[in-house]
Amino acid sequence: MAILAGAGWFALLLQFYLIVSNAAVNGFPVFGAVIKFFSYFTILTNILVAWSLTACLLKPQSTFGKFFSRSSVKAAIADYIIIVGLVYNIILSKLWDPQGLQLVADVLLHQAVPVLYVLYWLVFVPKGYTKWTQIFRWLIYPFIYLLYILVRGGYTGHFPYPFLDVNQLGIERVAQYCGIIMAGFIAVGILLLIADRLMKKQKK
């Protein structure tokens, strides 16, 4: 858990440094770079992973520690970070070619942390405490994110992901992509619940 949390924070700090330093070099406002950093679902979800693990490690009896210790919450986080990895590696990785430190941050955020967190969930998280109805509650976080990005993008013209760019694609196509992604969250959630039930039975 400590190694995974450390890897997550390192990747986030490295990506933050790269975005801010690139903005400074190219003459863009640093504040705008910071806002851009926090506009990515990848970043927010990796923060969620690192923060949840850190809370469980350092203050397990705190409000956050108890909340993030719940099996259902850990399963939800697994759902989110799996989607991060899938969307990036299937769609977004083809759109650019990161090099150097950016490649390091890229691999950590989109491959290493998702894989390691899923392994952590499989091996260390108690099974059998998550309900099927909770899958739909897990959609609240990505739904709020999508709503925020679409509203913000409507005012600023900036969308962090090309499949959310209403100006380029139109609202109907973006709505279709959002529907597909939400269906992906549900599908991954179902698979996690199936794995949860199967692993619970094996331990009996």
Side-chain angles (χ1 to χ4, degrees):
M1 188 187 299
I3 294 175
L4 178 53
W9 287 122
F10 173 78
L12 288 163
L13 290 172
L14 177 59
Q15 186 62 69
F16 182 82
Y17 163 77
L18 291 171
I19 286 181
V20 171
S21 61
N22 287 338
V25 169
N26 294 308
F28 296 115
V30 173
F31 179 75
V34 174
I35 297 298
K36 180 180 178 182
F37 175 79
F38 287 104
S39 69
Y40 289 98
F41 189 78
T42 292
I43 296 299
L44 296 177
T45 305
N46 272 273
I47 289 174
L48 183 59
V49 168
W51 185 20
S52 65
L53 293 171
T54 303
C56 292
L57 277 169
L58 300 183
K59 292 189 176 181
Q61 299 305 316
S62 66
T63 301
F64 284 118
K66 291 179 180 178
F67 175 76
F68 287 121
S69 294
R70 297 177 186 174
S71 298
S72 59
V73 174
K74 291 180 184 292
I77 295 173
D79 190 356
Y80 304 145
I81 200 65
I82 287 172
I83 292 296
V84 166
L86 289 176
V87 171
Y88 180 81
N89 288 286
I90 294 174
I91 302 173
L92 301 175
S93 62
K94 301 179 179 65
L95 303 180
W96 73 326
D97 184 26
Q99 302 292 328
L101 290 177
Q102 183 59 68
L103 178 60
V104 174
D106 211 53
V107 170
L108 286 172
L109 292 170
H110 300 104
Q111 297 172 8
V113 170
V115 170
L116 289 174
Y117 191 86
V118 172
L119 290 175
Y120 161 74
W121 179 81
L122 287 170
V123 176
F124 297 106
V125 177
K127 303 298 185 293
Y129 297 96
T130 303
K131 300 178 181 178
W132 289 100
T133 54
Q134 291 175 317
I135 293 176
F136 296 98
R137 297 180 190 174
W138 299 351
L139 297 178
I140 295 174
Y141 163 55
F143 179 78
I144 291 175
Y145 171 80
L146 285 173
L147 186 63
Y148 162 71
I149 289 302
L150 292 176
V151 172
R152 178 177 177 273
Y155 283 99
T156 65
H158 173 261
F159 297 89
Y161 299 107
F163 51 81
L164 297 179
D165 194 334
V166 177
N167 296 331
Q168 294 294 324
L169 301 176
I171 189 64
E172 290 186 4
R173 288 188 64 187
V174 169
Q176 291 174 354
Y177 288 135
C178 290
I180 292 171
I181 293 172
M182 285 300 181
F185 279 109
I186 295 173
V188 171
I190 291 172
L191 291 175
L192 288 169
L193 263 292
I194 291 174
D196 180 89
R197 294 298 183 269
L198 291 174
M199 294 179 72
K200 178 187 177 183
K201 290 181 180 179
Q202 289 178 354
K203 290 182 179 181
K204 288 184 178 181

